[in-house]
Amino acid sequence: MHIEIPAPQAERLQRHATAAGYESVESYVMEFVLNLAENPTAAELFAPLTEDELAASLAMIEKGMQQIDAGEGLTVDEARQRSLDRFERSRK
């Protein structure tokens, strides 16, 4: 399969791929598309949260806010690096 992507969007995709630690836009987009294809319907990806999911999300946000208030938060750079490290470990 071959998909033509206009230059402005291709440049943005390149920046996203690089920031996420991918070697190429192709591998970045391929992983996204494969993840999308594994879901029975695209609608499920964007379906509203159930009440239980919403409550769990709000609880995680509240916990995070408490951690920040207690000085336990990370800088943006630290969080990004931890995420990239975790991602790299998961790809091995």
Side-chain angles (χ1 to χ4, degrees):
M1 176 184 297
H2 182 79
I3 300 172
E4 292 292 326
I5 299 174
Q9 288 79 14
E11 290 172 15
R12 259 189 279 157
L13 281 172
Q14 181 63 57
R15 288 193 301 272
H16 289 300
T18 300
Y22 286 84
E23 294 180 14
S24 68
V25 171
E26 289 80 6
S27 60
Y28 176 71
V29 172
M30 183 174 65
E31 185 159 331
F32 177 80
V33 170
L34 290 175
N35 286 332
L36 181 64
E38 288 178 5
N39 292 289
T41 66
E44 288 183 14
L45 289 173
F46 305 105
L49 298 176
T50 66
E51 287 191 31
D52 289 343
E53 291 168 331
L54 180 58
S57 293
L58 292 173
M60 286 189 288
I61 291 169
E62 181 60 32
K63 180 180 177 184
M65 294 304 293
Q66 290 171 355
Q67 289 173 322
I68 289 170
D69 290 342
E72 299 171 5
L74 301 173
T75 67
V76 171
D77 291 333
E78 291 169 329
R80 182 181 302 124
Q81 189 59 52
R82 282 190 185 187
S83 293
L84 287 171
D85 293 345
R86 192 174 17 217
F87 176 75
E88 286 300 319
R89 284 193 304 272
S90 73
R91 292 178 68 187
K92 294 180 181 180

